[in-house]
DNA sequence: CGTATGCCCTGCGCGC
DNA sequence: TGCGCGCAGGGCATAC
């Protein structure tokens, strides 16, 4: 599932291909993936524009197009965005295709169709609500333990649910929330507001470390994620709890447990995260 | 407001 | 071998 490290890896790979490329053609095979504006307006508004340097906010990929327009993409569960030669056969769930002026194609593929595009205009016109209300970037130096403590304070929800709340902190999904809580030695179901100061500091460090480590390994390919050059990530083998139910904890050997927290499948070590 | 639940959607793995 | 069911989950809509 694309989370911050996967979208960051995607941004970095697309940065090698998109800047300076003009969109010659937009094919929308599945109109539902165009969230704003209507697909025909989208198509004509994007055609002829030139990509700038890709940016990222949380799990949102931001592709500047000039003229104060930005193509905003969210991959949700199964979205893939990559540059490829037109001779490569289209994958089954290729829903949107941008023909570029060097002959290559930027393709959007999405098996579960949860993801899609917003074309954002001047003054954030058309921006998805989730982008407007997005919390701080966890890798920003300004995100310190105090900011995390502020997001957790007074909340009775499980600490994991707060980590997944994009308004509290941007970019964590199910994999890295579980991994950060393991690294911090904190039980995922603990009420967020009950964490001691030292635990918040540990969690803050753990979030940063796991995200940085995952970016260094170009993200996690669990089932569907590929980067902007259609390559898988290498972080899967580094996972300490996610998708390891019943397997021995890498630290203490206890079997990794799987429970439901905040409606999400949650992996943790019952001994290291008591 | 804060919290909980269900929905969207498809493919896969499991049990029978 | 085939079929149906449950599960996977990010973000949002709705309910309480």
């Amino acid at each position: 599932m694309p989370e911050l490290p996967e979208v960051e890896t995607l941004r970095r790979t697309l940065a090698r291909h998109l800047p300076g490329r003009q969109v010659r053609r937009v094919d929308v095979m599945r109109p539902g993936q165009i969230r704003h504006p209507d697909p025909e307006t989208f198509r004509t508004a994007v055609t002829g524009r030139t990509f700038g340097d890709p940016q990222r906010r949380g799990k949102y990929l931001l592709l500047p197009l000039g003229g104060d327009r930005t193509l905003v993409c969210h991959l949700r569960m199964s979205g893939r965005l990559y540059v490829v030669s037109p001779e490569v056969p289209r994958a089954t769930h290729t829903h949107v295709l941008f023909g570029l002026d060097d002959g290559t194609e930027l393709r959007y593929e999405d098996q579960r169709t949860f993801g899609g595009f917003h074309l954002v205009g001047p003054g954030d016109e058309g921006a998805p609500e989730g982008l407007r209300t997005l919390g701080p970037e966890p890798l920003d130096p300004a995100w310190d333990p105090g900011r995390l403590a502020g997001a957790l304070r007074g909340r009775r929800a499980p600490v994991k649910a707060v980590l997944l709340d994009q308004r509290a902190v941007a970019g964590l999904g199910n994999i890295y929330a579980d991994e950060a809580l393991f690294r911090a030695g904190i039980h995922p179901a603990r009420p967020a507001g009950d964490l001691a100061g030292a635990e918040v500091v540990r969690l803050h460090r753990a979030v940063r470390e796991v995200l940085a480590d995952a970016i260094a390994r170009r993200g996690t390919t669990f089932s569907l994620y590929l980067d902007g050059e259609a390559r898988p990530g290498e972080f899967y083998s580094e996972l300490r709890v996610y998708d390891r139910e019943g397997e021995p904890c890498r630290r203490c050997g206890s079997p990794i447990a799987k429970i439901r927290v905040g409606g999400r499948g949650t992996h943790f070590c019952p001994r290291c995260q008591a």
Side-chain angles (χ1 to χ4, degrees):
Chain A
M1 289 99 254
E3 304 178 27
L4 189 153
E6 290 74 38
V7 181
E8 176 61 20
T9 302
L10 174 61
R11 183 194 73 75
R12 292 179 184 187
T13 50
L14 291 179
R16 297 207 286 263
H17 300 273
L18 291 185
R21 294 275 67 76
Q22 188 187 40
V23 178
R24 286 276 170 77
R25 193 178 91 253
V26 180
D27 290 349
V28 178
M29 283 75 78
R30 201 172 188 286
Q33 306 318 121
I34 309 299
R35 312 290 181 184
H36 178 89
D38 67 89
E40 188 50 32
T41 307
F42 175 92
R43 212 178 58 76
T44 54
V46 169
T47 302
R49 294 195 185 270
T50 301
F51 284 111
D53 292 329
Q55 312 289 320
R56 179 192 57 74
R57 269 287 278 137
K59 301 176 200 171
Y60 289 90
L61 181 71
L62 313 176
L63 303 175
L65 277 172
D68 222 356
R69 305 293 162 96
T70 301
L71 184 59
V72 174
C73 180
H74 199 300
L75 304 175
R76 296 284 185 104
M77 294 300 299
S78 57
R80 291 170 169 176
L81 192 64
Y82 50 89
V83 175
V84 72
S85 159
E87 288 118 46
V88 174
R90 288 186 200 180
T92 308
H93 301 287
T94 304
H95 303 315
V96 185
L97 185 152
F98 304 84
L100 307 179
D101 62 354
D102 64 351
T104 61
E105 291 177 349
L106 177 66
R107 294 184 188 173
Y108 180 73
E109 185 189 329
D110 192 348
Q111 182 184 96
R112 297 184 199 175
T113 72
F114 284 6
F117 294 93
H118 288 249
L119 182 62
V120 176
D124 286 348
E125 181 278 321
E129 185 62 18
L131 182 56
R132 299 178 194 269
T133 59
L134 204 55
E137 286 291 324
L139 294 177
D140 187 322
W143 192 69
D144 58 19
R147 297 286 305 269
L148 178 59
L152 300 173
R153 191 171 300 133
R155 304 273 308 257
R156 285 172 301 136
V159 59
K160 175 175 172 178
V162 178
L163 290 181
L164 291 176
D165 182 349
Q166 302 299 297
R167 296 166 301 183
V169 53
L172 290 172
N174 212 35
I175 295 175
Y176 298 110
D178 283 1
E179 292 296 312
L181 286 163
F182 172 80
R183 290 186 182 215
I186 295 170
H187 193 293
R190 288 268 304 281
D194 288 357
L195 265 60
E199 292 177 310
V200 176
V201 170
R202 287 210 309 271
L203 184 56
H204 171 267
R205 182 181 305 137
V207 166
R208 285 208 184 191
E209 281 181 358
V210 73
L211 294 176
D213 287 356
I215 290 170
R217 300 295 298 271
R218 298 178 39 256
T220 303
T221 292
F222 177 56
S223 58
L224 293 167
Y225 167 77
L226 297 175
D227 74 13
E229 293 168 347
R231 285 182 305 176
E234 299 169 343
F235 196 69
Y236 184 84
S237 59
E238 304 296 316
L239 297 178
R240 300 180 190 178
V241 287
Y242 190 85
D243 199 34
R244 297 195 66 242
E245 182 185 12
E247 294 174 42
C249 172
R250 297 195 198 282
R251 185 165 160 265
C252 78
S254 299
I256 298 301
K258 184 175 182 183
I259 58 175
R260 284 197 96 70
V261 175
R264 298 288 176 219
T266 298
H267 310 74
F268 74 108
C269 172
R271 191 156 156 194
C272 296
Q273 297 169 265

